[in-house]
Amino acid sequence: MKLVAKNFEKDSSGSVVLVPDEAEDMWHAYNLIAVGDRLKSTTIRRVQTESATGSVSSNKVRTTLAIAVEGIEFDTQACMLRIKGRNVEENQYVKMGAYHTIDLELNRKFALIKQYWDIIALERVDMACDPTQHADVAVVLLHEGLCHIMLVTSSMTIVRTKIDMNIPRKRKGYCSQHDKGLLRFYDAILQGVLRHINFDVIKCVLVASPGFVKDQFCDYMFQQAIRHEWKAIAENKSKFLPVHSSSGHKHSLKEVLADPTVTARLADTKAAGEVKALDNFFTMLKSEPDRAYYGMAHVEKANEAMAVEILLVTDELFRATDLATRKRYVKLVESVKDNGGDVRVFSSLHVSGEQLGQLTGVAAILRFPMPDISDDEEDSDESEDD
């Protein structure tokens, strides 16, 4: 994402002008744009014109519109963003108050105007415009007959392709059909790797599977690369890292990223940091439950006592349409930071973010035990029963 201009007032209102230059930037835009904001960008509008003879013709024109945002749709597969709202500025083609949908496009700038830029939105702009925040990792997750090829960026996991093939079972003395099916499966994966992984950008390719499937595939891939003179694979052999996973299903990505070998290799990536932080929370929940809490009410009580050492929160909470709810989460983040705590904002499109979302989306590791929080909960439950 490129920051073209920014203009903020003392009351925290203002605008930024941004240019998305890669697919992931659409995810950042989705987290920035909220209902009630104003969005200004060029768009295509079909208009009807009447000639002097009375004939009516319809033409598409490109015009600049400013709309008050009422709806936001994000397509995770295509990384497309559609913004719906009413026109709020005079335009020769569109009446004031008329509905229009703007499709945000790559390499086309847009201006975003907010009445209040909170700390979460400002940090999102900084992160989107900082190239060092991007994690350049690809994952080939497979077991016999199933494979997912994914790109893991700093904010999302993108499934580039899914390969699902039926491989004949091994039979005693009749392995040829099984072997032929396996080779066809490996060929399909290999074509997916060549098509979807840009080795000029990707720094590491994790090949994960149960058993020896990953090793067999890697051996086959490197043999084919030499045979067909595929320089993209042959010259980047060192980027491939075979690791264990329990299956080729997408949910196995979490255990892959938690592998110590992978963690060391991806030490600087946001995705690996999220997985490690969540694992630390679950470990604390088992070993010292009085220092690990989840749920907004419990975490807010811990924060009132300045006890929150690490706050874990999903970005989904900051997309709340209710302004008061969003401000409540923003206030918690600001307070934890003011008290010297560490705040980890998880992407809801990462497996770790999905898991945190199942725990209400907010959790905390405390500096010291606070058994009183759970005691208060039990007391309230007993009073309700009475």
Side-chain angles (χ1 to χ4, degrees), residues 137-142 150 152 205-210 214 241-264 266 272 275 279 351:
V137 182
V139 181
V140 180
L141 193 62
L142 73 152
M150 298 176 281
V152 182
V205 183
L206 306 176
V207 184
S209 79
K214 59 186 180 298
L241 179 64
V243 291
H244 173 78
S245 71
S246 57
S247 75
H249 295 287
K250 185 184 173 183
H251 63 76
S252 296
L253 179 61
K254 180 183 180 294
E255 65 180 275
V256 172
L257 294 176
D259 185 292
T261 309
V262 175
T263 305
L266 310 180
V275 171
D279 282 346
V351 285

Side-chain angles (χ1 to χ4, degrees), residues 86-260:
R86 292 179 183 269
N87 180 36
V88 291
E89 288 187 7
E90 288 288 345
N91 186 281
Q92 66 181 107
Y93 302 113
V94 184
K95 294 179 180 179
M96 286 284 287
Y99 273 108
H100 187 80
T101 299
I102 295 178
D103 292 335
L104 291 189
E105 304 174 10
L106 292 178
N107 302 311
R108 194 177 301 282
K109 70 179 180 180
F110 68 90
L112 179 63
I113 302 99
K114 287 179 176 287
Q115 290 299 314
Y116 183 79
W117 285 87
D118 56 47
I119 187 173
I120 300 298
L122 293 173
E123 287 182 352
R124 174 67 66 171
V125 172
D126 291 339
M127 180 171 64
C129 298
D130 182 2
T132 62
Q133 295 281 351
H134 299 280
D136 310 312
V137 182
V139 181
V140 180
L141 193 62
L142 73 152
H143 62 235
E144 284 194 7
L146 178 67
C147 175
H148 286 88
I149 297 178
M150 298 176 281
L151 300 180
V152 182
T153 70
S154 59
S155 299
M156 60 197 296
T157 302
I158 306 169
V159 178
R160 299 305 298 171
T161 187
K162 177 183 176 182
I163 300 163
D164 195 351
M165 295 176 65
N166 184 30
I167 298 175
R169 291 183 180 180
K170 274 187 178 180
R171 295 182 180 178
K172 192 173 182 180
Y174 297 94
C175 294
S176 60
Q177 290 303 314
H178 173 80
D179 294 342
K180 285 179 181 178
L182 206 54
L183 291 180
R184 284 196 299 270
F185 177 55
Y186 289 163
D187 275 327
I189 299 173
L190 188 46
Q191 292 304 315
V193 168
L194 290 168
R195 188 178 304 115
H196 296 293
I197 297 179
N198 182 357
F199 289 96
D200 292 333
V201 176
I202 295 298
K203 296 175 182 176
C204 179
V205 183
L206 306 176
V207 184
S209 79
F212 297 102
V213 180
K214 59 186 180 298
D215 305 298
Q216 292 169 358
F217 168 69
C218 285
D219 290 342
Y220 178 77
M221 176 174 56
F222 297 136
Q223 288 171 9
Q224 294 299 308
I226 295 171
R227 180 182 174 187
H228 296 285
E229 296 183 353
W230 289 329
K231 292 183 179 180
I233 291 176
E235 293 177 357
N236 291 282
K237 186 175 179 180
S238 60
K239 292 184 178 181
F240 288 86
L241 179 64
V243 291
H244 173 78
S245 71
S246 57
S247 75
H249 295 287
K250 185 184 173 183
H251 63 76
S252 296
L253 179 61
K254 180 183 180 294
E255 65 180 275
V256 172
L257 294 176
D259 185 292

Side-chain angles (χ1 to χ4, degrees), residues 33-39 67-72 113-115 321:
I33 302 168
V35 173
D37 293 346
R38 291 192 177 189
L39 182 79
I67 62 173
V69 178
E70 293 187 12
I72 310 155
I113 302 99
K114 287 179 176 287
Q115 290 299 314
T321 53

Side-chain angles (χ1 to χ4, degrees), residues 201-377:
V201 176
I202 295 298
K203 296 175 182 176
C204 179
V205 183
L206 306 176
V207 184
S209 79
F212 297 102
V213 180
K214 59 186 180 298
D215 305 298
Q216 292 169 358
F217 168 69
C218 285
D219 290 342
Y220 178 77
M221 176 174 56
F222 297 136
Q223 288 171 9
Q224 294 299 308
I226 295 171
R227 180 182 174 187
H228 296 285
E229 296 183 353
W230 289 329
K231 292 183 179 180
I233 291 176
E235 293 177 357
N236 291 282
K237 186 175 179 180
S238 60
K239 292 184 178 181
F240 288 86
L241 179 64
V243 291
H244 173 78
S245 71
S246 57
S247 75
H249 295 287
K250 185 184 173 183
H251 63 76
S252 296
L253 179 61
K254 180 183 180 294
E255 65 180 275
V256 172
L257 294 176
D259 185 292
T261 309
V262 175
T263 305
R265 184 80 171 258
L266 310 180
D268 297 328
T269 70
K270 183 173 181 284
E274 287 182 0
V275 171
K276 185 177 180 181
L278 194 60
D279 282 346
N280 289 343
F281 171 78
F282 282 121
T283 301
M284 187 68 72
L285 197 60
K286 291 178 182 177
S287 59
E288 295 183 67
D290 291 340
R291 283 188 58 199
Y293 288 95
Y294 61 89
M296 193 61 177
H298 283 174
V299 173
E300 281 181 324
K301 286 182 180 178
N303 184 55
E304 288 172 7
M306 300 176 66
V308 177
E309 182 177 17
I310 302 174
L311 176 67
L312 289 65
V313 59
T314 66
D315 55 17
E316 194 170 14
L317 299 177
F318 302 111
R319 293 196 297 274
T321 53
D322 179 50
L323 186 60
T325 303
R326 178 186 169 92
K327 283 186 174 181
R328 184 183 177 190
Y329 291 120
V330 172
K331 182 181 178 182
L332 175 64
V333 169
E334 290 178 336
S335 179
V336 169
K337 286 185 175 182
D338 290 343
N339 294 335
D342 183 20
V343 177
R344 300 291 182 92
V345 180
F346 285 58
S347 169
S348 57
L349 284 190
H350 274 321
V351 285
S352 53
E354 291 175 2
Q355 195 169 7
L356 180 59
Q358 294 169 0
L359 293 177
T360 73
V362 59
I365 298 175
L366 309 189
R367 294 187 175 95
F368 47 83
M370 288 192 66
D372 295 343
I373 295 180
S374 53
D375 291 343
D376 291 344
E377 185 74 17

